[in-house]
Amino acid sequence: MSGAGPAAAQLDQLLAYDSAKPLDVKVVGGEPKGDVRVEDITFSSVAGEPPIQAYLVRPASGSGPFAGVLFVHWFAPPESSRAQFLSEAEALARRGAVSLLVSTFWSDEKRYMSRKWETDFQNSVNQAKDLRRALDVLLAQPGVDPQRIGYVGHDYGAMFGAVVAAVDARAKAHVHIAGTARFSDWYLFGSSTGVPKGDALKAFKEQMGRIEPVNVIGKAKNAFFFQFGEADHYTPRKDFIDVYMAAPEPKRIATYPSQHEMQEGIIRFDRTVWLCE
């Protein structure tokens, strides 16, 4: 745990969960790929959600110790899926890492578009709790070294990474790609119940303020590498500078002539090198 003072204590309490609850990991499929094994698994939610779908990617042989990485994908239908970082995880497995790639509430476009702004806050809290549960699952894998855990998140994955880091120091190294400073920036694009207005909008922003990435990341005890695109229309320059400035040391920032997709090879190369270091 990290952070100090009343605000940090309140965040710890808000994102607390029953870590003793059984993980209930079930393997529903698997595919050997030479020196790498990819398993299709599910594990239990701690937030009352259905079982979480994930890919577990590991070296096909060896007993470790292995580094571990939790990957959290972006929102870009129809590509919003746990498969986003699959090739990257396979490459890391060849270098001796175990990766967990999880599904989220934005994995399903219909579910995301049917969300209601009235429940955005609780839904976000639930998602953060389930990402902490994902760290439980990753750390429970045979041979995974708890001192060498990383987190990689793109878009919403980056934003939720800031929330998780604020209360959970188990992932020592965080890579956040193209995340904006505030959930409300994107939630207010719309929902199935529209958007709040007037006093409701003020109350919504105040409530979301308790978990906004820019407000909570300063409580973290992790190392951060931020990757942003200078041509990203979804994440304005001021936003990513604000998040970077709010983050604790040690931290690094790199910008690229990229749009929000951040698919250029150098971007993946840079974060691989940083994680390995």
Side-chain angles (χ1 to χ4, degrees):
M1 293 295 187
S2 63
Q10 291 172 10
L11 189 64
D12 283 346
Q13 183 176 15
L14 181 65
L15 299 181
Y17 69 102
D18 182 5
S19 60
K21 180 179 178 180
L23 300 175
D24 195 23
V25 176
K26 296 179 180 177
V27 179
V28 297
E31 179 185 0
K33 293 186 175 182
D35 51 358
V36 173
R37 181 168 181 80
V38 179
E39 294 181 344
D40 188 354
I41 70 169
T42 63
F43 60 91
S44 65
S45 163
V46 290
E49 301 290 340
I52 298 162
Q53 296 178 311
Y55 290 125
L56 185 61
V57 184
R58 65 171 77 243
S61 61
S63 58
F66 303 118
V69 183
L70 174 61
F71 284 98
V72 188
H73 67 86
W74 69 333
F75 176 65
E79 301 172 8
S80 306
S81 88
R82 56 191 165 129
Q84 180 188 353
F85 291 104
L86 190 54
S87 66
E88 194 163 334
E90 291 172 0
L92 287 176
R94 295 184 180 96
R95 302 180 70 155
V98 174
S99 296
L100 186 67
L101 299 78
V102 295
S103 59
T104 64
F105 74 81
W106 60 91
S107 298
D108 182 342
E109 182 182 4
K110 289 182 179 179
R111 179 183 176 189
Y112 182 83
M113 299 308 293
S114 66
R115 40 169 272 279
K116 302 176 181 180
W117 69 261
E118 293 89 344
T119 56
D120 273 339
F121 176 75
Q122 187 58 52
N123 191 42
S124 300
V125 168
N126 290 348
Q127 181 63 71
K129 290 179 179 180
D130 277 339
L131 290 178
R132 299 188 70 188
R133 166 96 313 188
L135 286 173
D136 295 342
V137 173
L138 178 61
L139 283 159
Q141 299 310 305
V144 169
D145 182 355
Q147 299 305 312
R148 293 190 296 141
I149 302 299
Y151 179 107
V152 177
H154 183 188
D155 180 280
Y156 273 132
M159 296 163 72
F160 277 97
V163 180
V164 171
V167 297
D168 200 319
R170 289 179 294 174
K172 312 296 183 185
H174 275 240
V175 182
H176 292 183
I177 310 158
T180 192
R182 297 166 184 84
F183 290 112
S184 52
D185 291 344
W186 289 349
Y187 287 161
L188 291 175
F189 280 138
S191 72
S192 65
T193 53
V195 294
K197 299 184 186 331
D199 289 343
L201 176 59
K202 180 180 178 181
F204 177 82
K205 288 186 174 182
E206 287 178 353
Q207 185 182 47
M208 293 303 304
R210 299 170 63 190
I211 58 169
E212 297 290 28
V214 72
N215 294 344
V216 303
I217 197 169
K219 301 176 175 62
K221 300 291 185 184
N222 321 69
F224 291 94
F225 179 27
F226 297 94
Q227 296 186 298
F228 293 102
E230 291 285 2
D232 186 343
H233 299 295
Y234 290 102
T235 306
R237 175 172 247 274
K238 182 181 183 306
D239 269 26
F240 66 72
I241 293 298
D242 284 350
V243 174
Y244 172 75
M245 293 302 293
E249 297 284 356
K251 59 185 174 182
R252 177 189 170 194
I253 188 171
T255 63
Y256 306 85
S258 176
Q259 298 185 8
H260 195 62
E261 293 85 350
M262 299 288 283
Q263 292 179 343
E264 290 77 3
I266 186 61
I267 301 174
R268 172 172 163 174
F269 176 83
D270 282 354
R271 64 174 167 266
T272 299
V273 170
W274 187 83
L275 283 169
C276 289
E277 289 175 351

